[in-house]
Amino acid sequence: QVQLVESGGGLVQAGGSLRLSCAASGSIFTINAIGWYRQAPGKQRELVAGITNGGRTKYADSAKGRFTISRDNAKNTVYLQMGSLKPEDTAVYYCNTVIVAMTGWPPAGSWGQGTQVTVSS
């Protein structure tokens, strides 16, 4: 089973940018979809963005226009480029394999450690 490891989080001022990386221990070519989720203190984990092997993407409304998800199958890595960051983006960000369904894109695998993103005002 492919393991996914998140990195790239940090402390950034509002309006700034960060790029998160989700590195796989093996090939992601056969993984249908991978997503970035986040969990803020006291809130449920939510999908931020997902991308299928064919390049189809899905974004939370809060991420549209500010975040871009991409995947590099050659590097076995999925990225989340985040811009115009807001304090409400503060959360632990996780990546996971995704079930692409009509009703949503729920996570399919186990959770890793995640990477903390903190946006100061």
Side-chain angles (χ1 to χ4, degrees):
Q1 186 174 357
V2 174
Q3 303 295 318
L4 303 176
V5 178
E6 306 91 346
S7 64
L11 174 63
V12 64
Q13 288 188 332
S17 300
L18 278 175
R19 188 179 78 160
L20 306 183
S21 298
C22 172
S25 59
S27 174
I28 64 171
F29 183 76
T30 58
I31 299 177
N32 181 46
I34 293 176
W36 280 98
Y37 298 79
R38 69 184 181 188
Q39 186 167 23
K43 295 188 177 181
Q44 287 190 329
R45 200 168 304 191
E46 61 176 355
L47 176 71
V48 177
I51 186 167
T52 69
N53 206 7
R56 176 186 169 196
T57 58
K58 179 180 179 67
Y59 293 93
D61 287 343
S62 59
K64 289 178 182 176
R66 300 190 299 128
F67 296 1
T68 301
I69 190 169
S70 61
R71 64 191 286 167
D72 186 335
N73 286 350
K75 294 183 178 180
N76 296 318
T77 302
V78 174
Y79 302 99
L80 184 67
Q81 179 68 48
M82 304 187 296
S84 302
L85 284 163
K86 305 174 182 179
E88 50 264 43
D89 294 318
T90 296
V92 179
Y93 285 70
Y94 305 85
C95 60
N96 204 333
T97 55
V98 172
I99 299 170
V100 177
M102 291 292 289
T103 56
W105 288 26
S110 57
W111 297 106
Q113 298 287 330
T115 186
Q116 175 71 48
V117 172
T118 302
V119 184
S120 63
S121 57

